[in-house]
């Protein structure tokens, strides 16, 4: 069971109040892209053992989308942050590194 | 033995959803003018008689007022919000209200919602949007030992049965 804090309304709640939205920070491959890139955009998802960036929606609460960084092994939630960002913010990376010093983004 | 908790379906209350920029002065003025209540901060609700003003999300508030006043209030809101993009929607018929009354109301609700309902965590003046078992709902406390619960009309029967089951005599623990 995860406890997530919604950055949009400030509520901390267990995961049944939210719905998962899959991997975060996907880059859209649209018309004109290579077939392989389009395929990967549609179907290829990271499945790391460790730090993972995800989209979540506060479905039963304020209804907003946000991002979460968590560990798929321990289920530790490092932090949640705004969905209005294409890349992982520096503060988020710093927060994760406090807990996982050996971890690198895009390792 | 603990006293029983009373479950009741309340009469319709007029409801208007206002969506827009909550920091905008015109937006706040509309909500304040229609309800006569002060503008709520995050996850707060203001109540006075049939009037209510609730923070629903970072871009949404809910106005509650007598049903017969809704049409005039929507005209007022449309008029006052011409300058900025905003949504003014009459949601009176979309929702129903229930009340819980009794010393163990917190326990009755805590059985259904994944929310900390201790006195320290939840008090009159707050509103919480969450789920009751399988459906979306919101609740607040007009005063201690009393809740008002809002859900979609389409699940009103389900919520009626949920609340009655949760409040059934002999099933309510003395927890909080
Ligand atoms: Zn939220």
């Amino acid at each position: 069971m995860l406890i997530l804090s919604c950055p949009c309304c400030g509520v901390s709640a267990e995961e049944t109040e939210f719905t998962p939205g899959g991997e975060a920070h996907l880059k859209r491959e649209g018309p004109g892209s290579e077939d392989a890139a389009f395929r990967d955009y549609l179907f290829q998802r990271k499945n790391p053992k460790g730090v993972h960036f995800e989209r979540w929606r506060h479905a039963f609460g304020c209804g907003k989308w946000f991002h979460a960084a968590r560990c798929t092994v321990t289920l530790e939630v490092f932090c949640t942050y705004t969905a209005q960002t294409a890349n992982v913010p520096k503060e988020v990376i710093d927060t994760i590194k406090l807990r996982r010093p050996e971890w690198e983004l895009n390792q | 033995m603990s006293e029983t908790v009373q479950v009741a379906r309340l009469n319709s209350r007029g409801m208007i959803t206002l969506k827009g920029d909550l920091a905008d002065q015109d937006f706040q003025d509309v909500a304040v003018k229609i309800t006569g209540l002060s503008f709520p901060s995050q996850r707060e609700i203001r109540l006075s008689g049939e009037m209510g003003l609730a923070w629903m999300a970072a871009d949404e508030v809910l106005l509650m007022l007598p049903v017969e006043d809704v049409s005039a209030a929507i005209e007022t809101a449309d008029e006052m919000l011409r300058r900025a993009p905003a949504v003014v929607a009459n949601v009176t018929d979309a929702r129903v209200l229930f009340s819980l009354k009794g010393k163990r109301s917190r326990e009755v609700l805590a059985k259904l919602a994944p929310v900390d309902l201790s006195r320290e965590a939840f008090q009159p003046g707050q509103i919480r949007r969450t789920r009751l078992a399988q459906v979306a709902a919101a609740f607040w406390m007009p005063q201690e030992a009393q809740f008002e619960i809002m859900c979609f009309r389409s699940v009103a029967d389900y919520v009626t049965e949920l609340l009655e089951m949760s409040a059934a005599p002999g099933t309510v623990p003395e927890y909080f």
Side-chain angles (χ1 to χ4, degrees):
Chain A
M1 184 70 74
L2 300 172
I3 307 261
L4 295 167
S5 297
C6 173
C8 306
C9 72
V11 157
S12 285
E14 46 107 324
E15 65 185 86
T16 63
E17 208 175 278
F18 303 86
T19 48
E23 185 183 333
H25 306 299
L26 297 178
K27 181 177 169 293
R28 178 171 180 267
E29 300 288 345
S33 60
E34 297 284 321
D35 283 357
F38 186 57
R39 175 204 63 203
D40 288 354
Y41 162 63
L42 286 182
F43 302 115
Q44 283 294 93
R45 292 294 174 267
K46 293 196 182 106
N47 187 19
K49 190 175 174 185
V51 178
H52 194 220
F53 299 96
E54 298 173 335
R55 305 170 73 226
W56 285 84
R57 181 173 172 255
H58 197 184
F60 285 110
C62 69
K64 303 301 181 199
W65 284 95
F66 61 92
H67 285 158
R70 71 175 182 102
C71 177
T72 59
V73 179
T74 63
L75 302 193
E76 174 177 357
V77 178
F78 301 111
C79 62
T80 55
Y81 54 102
T82 178
Q84 277 71 48
T85 175
N87 301 306
V88 183
K90 184 171 179 305
E91 314 86 77
V92 173
I93 294 171
D94 292 345
T95 305
I96 297 168
K97 279 187 176 265
L98 285 178
R99 303 284 302 158
R100 299 282 186 280
E102 73 293 353
W103 171 83
E104 292 293 335
L105 187 63
N106 300 324
Q107 61 194 350
Chain B
M1 279 302 293
S2 56
E3 315 150 52
T4 53
V5 172
Q6 310 292 327
V7 179
R9 170 107 169 238
L10 300 178
N11 291 331
S12 271
R13 205 172 292 168
M15 292 191 191
I16 300 170
T17 285
L18 229 54
K19 273 194 146 189
D21 179 2
L22 264 56
D24 182 76
Q25 195 58 49
D26 285 352
F27 187 92
Q28 294 198 6
D29 287 348
V30 172
V32 169
K33 181 174 179 186
I34 290 172
T35 61
L37 299 163
S38 62
F39 199 79
S41 303
Q42 189 180 59
R43 300 200 314 280
E44 287 183 349
I45 185 169
R46 310 272 190 252
L47 295 164
S48 175
E50 270 204 82
M51 292 295 188
L53 180 51
W55 190 97
M56 296 290 277
D59 60 354
E60 180 181 338
V61 290
L62 177 69
L63 279 52
M64 289 185 274
L65 64 169
V67 175
E68 59 271 21
D69 297 340
V70 169
S71 304
I74 285 182
E75 273 178 38
T76 305
D78 279 337
E79 186 69 31
M80 287 176 72
L81 287 172
R82 277 215 183 118
R83 198 176 52 78
V87 172
V88 181
N90 181 355
V91 294
T92 302
D93 294 335
R95 293 165 177 166
V96 291
L97 291 169
F98 296 89
S99 77
L100 284 182
K101 281 185 188 170
K103 207 171 142 203
R104 297 290 159 202
S105 301
R106 287 177 181 275
E107 281 85 345
V108 168
L109 211 49
K111 285 199 272 178
L112 303 170
V115 175
D116 182 355
L117 283 163
S118 63
R119 277 179 180 75
E120 300 73 48
F122 196 83
Q123 300 120 18
Q126 290 174 266
I127 178 171
R128 183 66 150 81
R129 297 178 72 182
T130 181
R131 65 181 175 86
L132 294 183
Q134 298 181 37
V135 299
F139 52 73
W140 55 87
M141 302 183 80
Q143 60 188 71
E144 189 52 49
Q146 197 174 322
F147 282 89
E148 286 183 348
I149 297 150
M150 175 169 78
C151 70
F152 289 116
R153 186 173 295 271
S154 55
V155 294
D157 290 347
Y158 175 80
V159 171
T160 303
E161 286 177 21
L162 270 185
L163 293 171
E164 283 174 355
M165 195 187 299
S166 187
T171 72
V172 184
E174 297 185 17
Y175 185 74
F176 295 116

